[in-house]
């Protein structure tokens, strides 16, 4: 696992062959293009049509019922299919809105029965206005001057009708009036049935349209390829009868570019990046831990001259998640879910990376849960095999207060060690090594019990701080007397990082706190369920099951959220803060788009 070495590649050819060359480079897919001139705004040829097509594709992708697709190459009218799909989308939206409105009106009219109003002239110009008045506000009716009548009585409300030719004032009663409308409830029910039938018919039409989904996706990919090709053509350097295209290529792909140039008769120049260049970052990570690079790029892109933290992020995230979840039973649920969806996740590259991470999380959490001896908050019987495997006690404050900072110290040591190695010939490397000495000297001083250990730890801490000061100071060259003051100032400022280092190490205590909270909640729900079963024979068993299901469900979801948020936070904030000294930008190959299926 490392950052791929890059080479600057420059290709020159005849202007008349420019389009064919760029198409070939797009098919080759190994170059990160470098603009050789300022490009105009990237405006698609027909943004409206592209948007319509994307909307239609998304509508078909979200369909719950999909039919067997047509074969690739089947002739079809894209505009007609897109128009039909969008019409279906609009019709479904209108039908669903009407369905929801009818259901709400039918529900509101339930207390009033099937109201059918006579013509206004037959009622002498009078209208009925309806209210659901809480029984506690019955006295408000005595203050109403208009004719009124209580039509019925519910458990908490009175069904009141007020007679008036005009709408009564809003403050007539302490509740707003009920909008019943002029359509009887029975007619609304018939309309709802017709709407539901029409909705099913529209859904069936949508399912039939999903046969075109792969072909529409291929058209979208081809459109995106054409747009990328157009943008690339505007970034080349054109002069008279020749053009030049430039890009970064991984060193292992240079041979393919050379073969491409020789085949097409192009001039080719391959150069190593200079100190002033800033090539893109391409992580070469084995597929098994590729999800670690996904997590890395989720937060930042390491600089080209930095290092690849993917493996460390992969392993530490799994460990932190396991310590926060802290239960073998919960880990088994994750493992079962991963196993159930294993094949489905394997249908895409992103899914395969995700399932590998899920498997690592489940395995690590299972091992840690067994070590803690917790199975849905229940301890295994003493003397059994499971009890023999448990050697960690989450409630042992002395041990658990030591374990997370020790893990944090190792985590930050890896980060600082990488920085020290990459900068081993400069002052930055000395500073990183000094911080490592401070970390472990501080840990030794914290746990030391003898005078000799305290002296050794104190000397190590003082030496580490001196290395931090010296490493930061020597990074500023001395060209005039005032530069000595700048050196001293830089060293003093570097020493202020001690407070940040101390705070970051303490931040790992969240692993203990969240793990303890998860274990305490699980035990609490178990105790509540046991008490319910004991104090309420019969129905108590049902209530106990409900308490266990709801309680452990909530605790499990809290554990998942905490494990993800805080597991990533310790990597992104604490670990990256000390281990990644520069930020880069990711390698984006100029290549054909994958059909969005």
């Amino acid at each position: 696992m490392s950052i791929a070495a890059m080479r600057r590649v420059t290709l020159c050819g005849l202007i008349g062959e420019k389009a064919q060359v760029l198409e070939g480079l797009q098919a080759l897919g190994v170059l990160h293009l470098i603009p050789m001139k300022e490009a105009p705004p990237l405006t698609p040829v027909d943004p409206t049509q592209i948007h319509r097509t994307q909307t239609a594709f998304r509508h078909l992708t979200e369909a719950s019922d999909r039919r067997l697709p047509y074969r690739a190459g089947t002739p079809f009218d894209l505009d007609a299919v897109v128009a039909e799909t969008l019409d279906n989308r609009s019709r479904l939206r209108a039908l669903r809105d009407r369905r929801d409105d009818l259901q709400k009106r039918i529900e509101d009219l339930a207390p009033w029965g099937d109201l059918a109003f006579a013509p206004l002239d037959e009622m002498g110009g009078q209208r009925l206005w309806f209210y659901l008045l809480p029984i506690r506000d019955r006295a408000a009716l005595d203050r109403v001057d208009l004719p009124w009548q209580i039509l019925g009585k519910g458990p908490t409300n009175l069904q009141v009708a007020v007679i008036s030719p005009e709408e009564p004032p809003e403050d007539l009663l302490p509740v707003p009036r009920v909008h019943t409308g002029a359509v009887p409830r029975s007619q609304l029910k018939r309309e709802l049935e017709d709407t539901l039938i029409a909705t099913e018919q529209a859904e069936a039409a949508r399912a039939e349209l999903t046969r075109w989904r792969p072909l529409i996706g291929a058209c979208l990919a081809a459109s995106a390829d054409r747009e990328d090709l157009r943008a690339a053509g505007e970034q080349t350097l054109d002069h008279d009868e020749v053009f030049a295209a430039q890009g970064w290529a991984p060193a292992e792909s240079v041979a393919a570019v050379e073969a491409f140039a020789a085949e097409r008769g192009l001039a080719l120049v391959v150069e190593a990046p200079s100190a002033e260049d800033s090539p893109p970052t391409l992580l070469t990570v084995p597929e098994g831990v590729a999800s670690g690079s996904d997590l890395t790029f989720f937060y930042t892109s390491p600089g080209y001259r930095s290092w690849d933290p993917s493996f460390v992020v992969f392993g530490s995230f799994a460990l932190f998640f396991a310590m926060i979840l802290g239960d073998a039973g919960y880990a088994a649920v994750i493992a079962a879910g991963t196993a159930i969806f294993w094949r489905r996740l394997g249908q895409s590259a992103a899914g395969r990376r995700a399932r590998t991470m899920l498997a690592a999380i489940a395995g690590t959490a299972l091992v840690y849960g067994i070590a803690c001896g917790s199975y849905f908050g229940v301890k295994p019987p003493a003397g059994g095999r499971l009890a023999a495997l448990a050697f960690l006690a989450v409630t042992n404050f002395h041990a658990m207060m030591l374990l997370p900072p020790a893990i944090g110290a190792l985590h930050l040591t890896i980060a600082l060690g990488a920085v020290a190695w990459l900068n081993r010939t400069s002052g930055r490397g000395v500073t990183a090594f000094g911080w490592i000495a401070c970390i472990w000297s501080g840990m030794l001083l914290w746990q030391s019990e003898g005078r000799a250990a305290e002296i050794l730890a104190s000397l190590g801490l003082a030496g580490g701080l001196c290395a931090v000061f010296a490493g930061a100071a020597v990074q500023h060259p001395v060209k005039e007397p005032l530069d000595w003051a700048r050196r001293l100032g830089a060293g003093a400022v570097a020493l202020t990082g001690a407070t940040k280092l101390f705070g970051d190490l303490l931040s790992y205590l969240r692993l203990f706190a969240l793990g303890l909270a998860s274990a305490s909640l699980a035990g609490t729900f178990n105790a509540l369920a046991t008490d319910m079963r004991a104090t309420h024979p019969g129905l108590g068993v049902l209530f106990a099951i409900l308490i266990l299901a709801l309680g452990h469900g909530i605790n499990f979801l809290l554990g998942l959220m905490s494990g993800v948020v805080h597991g990533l936070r310790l990597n992104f904030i604490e670990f990256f803060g000390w281990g990644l000294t520069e930020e880069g930008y990711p390698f984006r190959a100029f290549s054909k788009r994958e059909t969005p299926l």
Side-chain angles (χ1 to χ4, degrees):
M1 294 172 295
S2 61
I3 296 176
M6 290 290 162
R7 297 291 182 267
R8 184 196 297 271
V9 173
T10 306
L11 294 159
C12 296
L14 297 176
I15 196 72
E17 301 174 353
K18 173 181 170 179
Q20 292 80 3
V21 170
L22 290 178
E23 288 180 3
L25 288 176
Q26 189 180 40
L28 191 62
V30 298
L31 286 186
H32 178 109
L33 292 181
I34 301 173
M36 302 190 72
K37 64 180 179 182
E38 186 175 351
L42 302 180
T43 303
V45 177
D46 188 357
T48 302
Q49 181 60 21
I50 291 176
H51 177 71
R52 283 170 54 83
T53 306
Q54 289 172 339
T55 303
F57 180 79
R58 187 163 54 250
H59 178 63
L60 299 181
T61 300
E62 294 171 353
S64 58
D65 183 14
R66 297 182 190 175
R67 305 292 169 81
L68 184 67
Y70 293 116
R71 292 187 299 273
T74 301
F76 78 113
D77 187 338
L78 176 63
D79 293 339
V81 173
V82 167
E84 185 178 358
T85 303
L86 294 180
D87 288 343
N88 176 266
R89 177 174 177 267
S90 299
R91 177 166 174 74
L92 271 173
R93 279 192 169 186
L95 287 170
R96 288 166 178 167
D97 291 343
R98 183 58 179 164
R99 176 200 62 195
D100 295 341
D101 181 58
L102 288 170
Q103 289 175 339
K104 178 66 167 60
R105 291 183 61 189
I106 291 172
E107 181 182 351
D108 291 342
L109 287 174
W112 309 98
D114 195 22
L115 291 173
F117 298 98
L120 189 61
D121 55 351
E122 294 183 10
M123 298 181 64
Q126 298 293 327
R127 293 182 172 87
L128 295 176
W129 311 92
F130 299 96
Y131 297 85
L132 280 177
L133 183 68
I135 294 176
R136 66 176 182 275
D137 295 327
R138 166 64 181 79
L141 288 173
D142 298 332
R143 297 189 294 270
V144 176
D145 296 331
L146 297 171
W148 56 268
Q149 179 67 44
I150 296 177
L151 304 180
K153 181 179 179 181
T156 58
N157 294 315
L158 299 174
Q159 299 157 19
V160 179
V162 176
I163 302 174
S164 173
E166 303 294 338
E167 183 176 1
E170 293 184 359
D171 59 351
L172 180 71
L173 290 172
V175 292
R177 72 177 182 88
V178 176
H179 295 268
T180 59
V183 182
R185 190 165 183 259
S186 58
Q187 184 176 336
L188 292 176
K189 286 185 175 181
R190 290 193 296 270
E191 186 179 350
L192 176 61
E193 291 176 357
D194 294 339
T195 302
L196 292 175
I197 291 173
T199 302
E200 289 182 357
Q201 293 172 340
E203 287 286 6
R206 180 187 189 183
E208 185 63 27
L209 286 169
T210 59
R211 298 186 189 275
W212 299 110
R213 191 177 67 93
L215 298 179
I216 296 176
C219 290
L220 282 173
S223 175
D225 288 342
R226 289 193 298 271
E227 180 59 24
D228 289 345
L229 197 61
R230 182 193 65 80
E234 293 176 347
Q235 298 179 35
T236 60
L237 184 62
D238 304 337
H239 184 71
D240 293 336
E241 298 298 322
V242 298
F243 79 95
Q246 196 173 78
W248 294 107
E252 62 183 15
S253 301
V254 170
V257 178
E258 291 174 342
F260 175 83
E263 179 184 353
R264 296 178 179 261
L266 303 173
L268 173 66
V269 177
V270 179
E271 304 170 283
S274 64
E276 291 75 23
D277 287 328
S278 180
T281 302
L282 175 63
L283 302 183
T284 57
V285 184
E287 185 176 354
V289 292
S291 50
S293 64
D294 293 339
L295 294 178
T296 299
F297 277 119
F298 175 78
Y299 183 75
T300 188
S301 176
Y304 175 73
R305 294 176 178 83
S306 185
W307 63 291
D308 180 7
S310 300
F311 180 76
V312 180
V313 172
F314 181 90
S316 59
F317 175 69
L319 175 61
F320 298 158
F321 188 97
M323 294 181 68
I324 291 172
L325 196 65
D327 190 279
Y330 295 160
V333 173
I334 299 176
T338 303
I340 292 172
F341 293 100
W342 185 265
R343 293 186 62 182
R344 182 179 297 182
L345 290 171
Q347 295 176 0
S348 65
R352 288 190 293 273
R353 294 195 297 270
R355 72 181 185 181
T356 303
M357 174 57 77
L358 288 172
I361 287 174
T364 308
L366 187 62
V367 171
Y368 185 81
I370 292 173
C372 291
S374 178
Y375 302 84
F376 293 108
V378 178
K379 297 294 182 182
R385 292 184 178 181
L386 292 179
L389 295 174
F391 60 89
L392 288 176
V394 178
T395 55
N396 184 342
F397 278 56
H398 177 74
M400 296 306 295
M401 285 290 287
L402 174 62
L403 181 61
I407 292 175
L410 179 60
H411 201 216
L412 297 187
T413 297
I414 295 173
L416 289 165
V419 174
W421 175 256
L422 290 173
N423 300 275
R424 54 190 178 276
T425 59
S426 68
R428 179 175 290 179
V430 176
T431 298
F433 181 79
W435 286 128
I436 294 175
C438 290
I439 288 174
W440 292 106
S441 297
M443 293 291 292
L444 178 60
L445 186 62
W446 177 32
Q447 293 297 313
S448 61
E449 297 180 355
R451 180 63 178 169
E454 290 181 1
I455 294 175
L456 179 62
S458 299
L459 291 175
L461 188 60
L465 292 175
C466 290
V468 170
F469 181 91
V474 299
Q475 294 181 52
H476 293 266
V478 177
K479 296 182 179 179
E480 56 185 51
L482 189 59
D483 289 337
W484 287 102
R486 294 192 179 97
R487 275 195 166 189
L488 293 175
V493 169
L495 291 178
T496 61
T499 57
K500 179 179 184 301
L501 183 64
F502 180 70
D504 287 346
L505 284 172
L506 290 182
S507 186
Y508 286 83
L509 285 173
R510 71 184 66 238
L511 299 173
F512 162 59
L514 292 168
L516 178 62
S518 178
S520 300
L521 277 176
T524 300
F525 288 124
N526 290 339
L528 286 174
T530 301
D531 292 344
M532 180 61 68
R533 187 183 62 178
T535 57
H536 296 78
L539 285 178
V541 175
L542 176 60
F543 291 144
I545 294 174
L546 291 176
I547 290 172
L548 289 175
L550 183 61
H552 283 291
I554 293 174
N555 196 30
F556 178 65
L557 291 177
L558 289 174
L560 290 180
M561 290 189 292
S562 300
V564 171
V565 171
H566 294 283
L568 291 178
R569 180 244 154 82
L570 291 173
N571 278 289
F572 292 162
I573 306 302
E574 281 76 12
F575 181 71
F576 283 1
W578 292 97
L580 295 181
T581 56
E582 61 176 301
E583 185 175 354
Y585 60 100
F587 179 88
R588 303 293 186 196
F590 174 55
S591 60
K592 288 187 175 295
R593 302 293 183 94
E594 182 179 353
T595 301
L597 296 180

